[in-house]
Every structure is written in structure tokens, then in C-alpha cells.
Amino acid sequence: MTLASVAFKTEFAVDMTCQNCVNAVQGSLRDIPGIERYDIDLEKKRVTIIGKTPPSQLLSALKSTNRQVIVRGSSPSNSSIPQTAAVSILESPLPIPTNIASTSNPILATSPSSSSVELPGMNESEFSQKVFGIARFVQIDPKTILMDLTVRLPPPSNIGLGVGAAGGWNVYISETGNIVNPPSTTGKQFLNLGKITPDKDGYADLFKEVEGELWNWVGRGCIVQSESTSPTSTGGEPQSTLGKIFAGVVARSAGAWSNEKTVCACSGRTMWEEGRDMEKKTKL
């Protein structure tokens, strides 16, 4: 596991109801490398962790207790550094014909024969688009950004990539946030964040420190793109990029508990209900 060079704070809402819940959370964190200290507040359903461990690893550990967990924010552990955090939710920027049911889409489904498996999103009502990855960013010192990216991408055979050719996916921040007609309009690379190689199930992650100031990334696109993707094929005809590029806008997010919301003002739903809906879309 890659650890950060500087400790930072990550805070979670965990649906705890009793001391047994607290004990389970303590047990899940006991052997995680990089944790320097943590605090569990049963009354406020709050878990605060300071250390160098990727937030995605902490989230997985807390979820292993079979309790609902929501990331509430990350911040530098040094209070003298301004709280600056951002998130990018990676979706397919390409439109899917409305007459194609998402549950039977042979390209973006989990496997070529997965028509019987529910695949939420892509062409249903608003806010139902499937999420293929999440990138979280936090400014841990004045010139260093910590990035924690987790994705689950479609199987190579579904998107026209052979197994041997599926190893390379580039991750970058684009010059602009225009992702209307990828890959032609995703914008040139503003910053190369590296490369990921998904496993056989499509999972990949990237945790690294990048030099920069996060305010300068907000509003740009975070792009995950297959190395084999290009605007045209060798014959000069447009090449389908469906399933070969995923993108999201880098949007400012709450720092550690700078957003105390427990109920959504627009829908009246609790944060736990909102969180369950999000989990159905990500499946990460």
C-alpha cells in the first residue's frame, strides 16, 4: 500500500448505534498501516482518522463492518493550511441511445453475457447515470495535492480491446472541462497524473502526491482514457470511444466536517438515503 508523505485528516459518517458498532470499527482499523490516530464519536456517528493511509483504503476497512459509511471530507492535519478539497465523479460522457436499456447494454455491462444483471444508469432518468470511478483530491501542504482514484472499468472484450492491449489507461487533468465530443474535445493535457492497469475485473486505483495548487484544477476535466483511444481509426473513419474514455469535472468539495448536512434540503432525504443511492451507482 502506498502511503502519503504527510499525514492528513479524513472524516467519515458511520451508521453506528451501540458500543458493539464502536468495537467493530476499532477492529477494522486496528491493523491498517499509516494510521497515526483516530477518534470515534458514537453519538454523532463520526469517525475521524489522521494518518497517511489512502481514504479509499480506510473506506474499504470501515465498510467491512457491514455498516453504511459516507466520506464526509478530507483536510490537511495542519490547521494552518487552508482546507481545500475536490472530487471528480467519472462517468461516460458519450450519450447512449434512449432505446437501449442500460441493463442489456453489451458494451458497458460487466460481461458480454450480463443482460440479466442489473446495470443502473446510462440512459434512465436524471441522476441515474452509472459511475465508473471516483477521484478525491486534498491539498495536504501549500504546494502538494494528494490524489486518491478508484475505478471499475468495462471488460476489455466489451470495448474492442484485446486482453494484451488493455493494460494502459492514462489519467490526466485536462486544460478545459469540455467533454462534449471525446476524445477530440476533452482538452489537451494540463497535467499527466499517471497510468493505471485494471485487473481482470476492471478494478484499478492510483494514490499519489502531485505538485500543484488545487484551486487551479477546479472546473477542469479529470480524464481516464484508454491508451488505444484516438479520434480516428487507421482507416481514417471515426472510432467509437464508448467505454474507452471516462471523465468528470473537478468540483470543490467539503473539507473535513465543513459540511454538517444530515438531510438533503431539496429532496428531504437523509444523507444515509442519498448514500445508498450513490452506492448502487458506483459498485466500487
Side-chain angles (χ1 to χ4, degrees), residues 229-249:
T229 304
S230 61
T232 60
S233 63
T234 54
E237 295 297 324
Q239 179 187 29
S240 171
T241 56
L242 179 59
K244 299 175 187 176
I245 182 169
F246 301 96
V249 175

mmCIF file of all heavy atoms in Angstrom, residues 229-249:
data_model
loop_
_atom_site.group_PDB
_atom_site.id
_atom_site.type_symbol
_atom_site.label_atom_id
_atom_site.label_comp_id
_atom_site.label_asym_id
_atom_site.label_seq_id
_atom_site.Cartn_x
_atom_site.Cartn_y
_atom_site.Cartn_z
ATOM 1 N N THR A 229 -7.190 4.728 -27.497
ATOM 2 C CA THR A 229 -8.227 5.622 -27.995
ATOM 3 C C THR A 229 -7.630 6.764 -28.799
ATOM 4 O O THR A 229 -6.718 7.442 -28.356
ATOM 5 C CB THR A 229 -9.035 6.208 -26.826
ATOM 6 O OG1 THR A 229 -9.559 5.143 -26.055
ATOM 7 C CG2 THR A 229 -10.175 7.071 -27.327
ATOM 8 N N SER A 230 -8.181 6.977 -29.973
ATOM 9 C CA SER A 230 -7.773 8.108 -30.806
ATOM 10 C C SER A 230 -9.000 8.592 -31.573
ATOM 11 O O SER A 230 -9.961 7.844 -31.737
ATOM 12 C CB SER A 230 -6.662 7.705 -31.781
ATOM 13 O OG SER A 230 -7.110 6.679 -32.645
ATOM 14 N N PRO A 231 -8.999 9.822 -32.054
ATOM 15 C CA PRO A 231 -10.182 10.349 -32.735
ATOM 16 C C PRO A 231 -10.579 9.546 -33.967
ATOM 17 O O PRO A 231 -11.737 9.476 -34.317
ATOM 18 C CB PRO A 231 -9.769 11.775 -33.124
ATOM 19 C CG PRO A 231 -8.688 12.117 -32.147
ATOM 20 C CD PRO A 231 -7.968 10.828 -31.897
ATOM 21 N N THR A 232 -9.614 8.928 -34.652
ATOM 22 C CA THR A 232 -9.932 8.161 -35.844
ATOM 23 C C THR A 232 -9.212 6.826 -35.822
ATOM 24 O O THR A 232 -8.195 6.661 -35.137
ATOM 25 C CB THR A 232 -9.510 8.908 -37.123
ATOM 26 O OG1 THR A 232 -8.103 9.125 -37.081
ATOM 27 C CG2 THR A 232 -10.233 10.233 -37.229
ATOM 28 N N SER A 233 -9.754 5.884 -36.538
ATOM 29 C CA SER A 233 -9.095 4.592 -36.684
ATOM 30 C C SER A 233 -8.023 4.710 -37.756
ATOM 31 O O SER A 233 -7.837 5.743 -38.389
ATOM 32 C CB SER A 233 -10.127 3.533 -37.077
ATOM 33 O OG SER A 233 -10.688 3.853 -38.340
ATOM 34 N N THR A 234 -7.319 3.604 -38.043
ATOM 35 C CA THR A 234 -6.250 3.649 -39.034
ATOM 36 C C THR A 234 -6.788 3.949 -40.425
ATOM 37 O O THR A 234 -6.082 4.471 -41.281
ATOM 38 C CB THR A 234 -5.500 2.304 -39.058
ATOM 39 O OG1 THR A 234 -6.459 1.247 -39.257
ATOM 40 C CG2 THR A 234 -4.778 2.078 -37.748
ATOM 41 N N GLY A 235 -8.064 3.638 -40.673
ATOM 42 C CA GLY A 235 -8.652 3.901 -41.978
ATOM 43 C C GLY A 235 -9.175 5.313 -42.126
ATOM 44 O O GLY A 235 -9.738 5.667 -43.157
ATOM 45 N N GLY A 236 -9.029 6.121 -41.096
ATOM 46 C CA GLY A 236 -9.475 7.493 -41.161
ATOM 47 C C GLY A 236 -10.923 7.699 -40.776
ATOM 48 O O GLY A 236 -11.404 8.828 -40.729
ATOM 49 N N GLU A 237 -11.643 6.624 -40.466
ATOM 50 C CA GLU A 237 -13.035 6.738 -40.057
ATOM 51 C C GLU A 237 -13.105 6.995 -38.554
ATOM 52 O O GLU A 237 -12.241 6.541 -37.793
ATOM 53 C CB GLU A 237 -13.809 5.465 -40.401
ATOM 54 C CG GLU A 237 -13.931 5.209 -41.894
ATOM 55 C CD GLU A 237 -14.709 6.302 -42.594
ATOM 56 O OE1 GLU A 237 -15.678 6.819 -41.992
ATOM 57 O OE2 GLU A 237 -14.347 6.665 -43.727
ATOM 58 N N PRO A 238 -14.127 7.706 -38.095
ATOM 59 C CA PRO A 238 -14.261 7.933 -36.648
ATOM 60 C C PRO A 238 -14.312 6.621 -35.881
ATOM 61 O O PRO A 238 -14.982 5.685 -36.295
ATOM 62 C CB PRO A 238 -15.588 8.689 -36.543
ATOM 63 C CG PRO A 238 -15.755 9.336 -37.869
ATOM 64 C CD PRO A 238 -15.172 8.379 -38.869
ATOM 65 N N GLN A 239 -13.572 6.547 -34.810
ATOM 66 C CA GLN A 239 -13.509 5.352 -33.987
ATOM 67 C C GLN A 239 -14.402 5.539 -32.772
ATOM 68 O O GLN A 239 -14.365 6.579 -32.119
ATOM 69 C CB GLN A 239 -12.064 5.094 -33.543
ATOM 70 C CG GLN A 239 -11.903 3.871 -32.640
ATOM 71 C CD GLN A 239 -10.483 3.785 -32.097
ATOM 72 O OE1 GLN A 239 -9.826 4.808 -31.926
ATOM 73 N NE2 GLN A 239 -10.013 2.591 -31.831
ATOM 74 N N SER A 240 -15.201 4.534 -32.463
ATOM 75 C CA SER A 240 -16.067 4.633 -31.297
ATOM 76 C C SER A 240 -15.230 4.685 -30.028
ATOM 77 O O SER A 240 -14.316 3.887 -29.836
ATOM 78 C CB SER A 240 -17.012 3.435 -31.230
ATOM 79 O OG SER A 240 -17.709 3.431 -29.995
ATOM 80 N N THR A 241 -15.513 5.652 -29.180
ATOM 81 C CA THR A 241 -14.800 5.746 -27.906
ATOM 82 C C THR A 241 -15.683 5.331 -26.734
ATOM 83 O O THR A 241 -15.326 5.536 -25.584
ATOM 84 C CB THR A 241 -14.310 7.188 -27.684
ATOM 85 O OG1 THR A 241 -15.424 8.076 -27.769
ATOM 86 C CG2 THR A 241 -13.274 7.574 -28.716
ATOM 87 N N LEU A 242 -16.844 4.747 -27.037
ATOM 88 C CA LEU A 242 -17.734 4.296 -25.973
ATOM 89 C C LEU A 242 -17.032 3.242 -25.125
ATOM 90 O O LEU A 242 -16.561 2.225 -25.638
ATOM 91 C CB LEU A 242 -19.015 3.707 -26.567
ATOM 92 C CG LEU A 242 -20.038 3.164 -25.574
ATOM 93 C CD1 LEU A 242 -20.490 4.256 -24.623
ATOM 94 C CD2 LEU A 242 -21.233 2.571 -26.299
ATOM 95 N N GLY A 243 -16.935 3.511 -23.849
ATOM 96 C CA GLY A 243 -16.286 2.576 -22.948
ATOM 97 C C GLY A 243 -14.788 2.708 -22.879
ATOM 98 O O GLY A 243 -14.141 1.992 -22.122
ATOM 99 N N LYS A 244 -14.211 3.621 -23.680
ATOM 100 C CA LYS A 244 -12.767 3.784 -23.686
ATOM 101 C C LYS A 244 -12.318 5.098 -23.063
ATOM 102 O O LYS A 244 -11.130 5.400 -23.002
ATOM 103 C CB LYS A 244 -12.240 3.697 -25.121
ATOM 104 C CG LYS A 244 -12.540 2.352 -25.782
ATOM 105 C CD LYS A 244 -12.110 2.337 -27.233
ATOM 106 C CE LYS A 244 -12.570 1.042 -27.909
ATOM 107 N NZ LYS A 244 -12.250 1.036 -29.361
ATOM 108 N N ILE A 245 -13.286 5.919 -22.667
ATOM 109 C CA ILE A 245 -12.947 7.181 -22.014
ATOM 110 C C ILE A 245 -14.025 7.511 -20.981
ATOM 111 O O ILE A 245 -15.215 7.361 -21.229
ATOM 112 C CB ILE A 245 -12.800 8.319 -23.044
ATOM 113 C CG1 ILE A 245 -12.397 9.621 -22.350
ATOM 114 C CG2 ILE A 245 -14.062 8.515 -23.852
ATOM 115 C CD1 ILE A 245 -11.979 10.710 -23.306
ATOM 116 N N PHE A 246 -13.575 7.910 -19.786
ATOM 117 C CA PHE A 246 -14.482 8.307 -18.711
ATOM 118 C C PHE A 246 -13.968 9.627 -18.148
ATOM 119 O O PHE A 246 -12.764 9.865 -18.106
ATOM 120 C CB PHE A 246 -14.552 7.226 -17.635
ATOM 121 C CG PHE A 246 -15.025 5.914 -18.185
ATOM 122 C CD1 PHE A 246 -14.126 4.942 -18.569
ATOM 123 C CD2 PHE A 246 -16.377 5.672 -18.369
ATOM 124 C CE1 PHE A 246 -14.554 3.746 -19.119
ATOM 125 C CE2 PHE A 246 -16.826 4.487 -18.928
ATOM 126 C CZ PHE A 246 -15.903 3.515 -19.302
ATOM 127 N N ALA A 247 -14.880 10.489 -17.767
ATOM 128 C CA ALA A 247 -14.472 11.833 -17.386
ATOM 129 C C ALA A 247 -15.429 12.426 -16.368
ATOM 130 O O ALA A 247 -16.581 12.010 -16.247
ATOM 131 C CB ALA A 247 -14.404 12.727 -18.624
ATOM 132 N N GLY A 248 -14.927 13.390 -15.634
ATOM 133 C CA GLY A 248 -15.754 14.130 -14.688
ATOM 134 C C GLY A 248 -15.130 15.481 -14.419
ATOM 135 O O GLY A 248 -13.913 15.655 -14.563
ATOM 136 N N VAL A 249 -15.934 16.435 -14.044
ATOM 137 C CA VAL A 249 -15.432 17.766 -13.719
ATOM 138 C C VAL A 249 -14.850 17.750 -12.309
ATOM 139 O O VAL A 249 -15.423 17.154 -11.392
ATOM 140 C CB VAL A 249 -16.560 18.811 -13.817
ATOM 141 C CG1 VAL A 249 -16.074 20.183 -13.350
ATOM 142 C CG2 VAL A 249 -17.081 18.892 -15.244
#
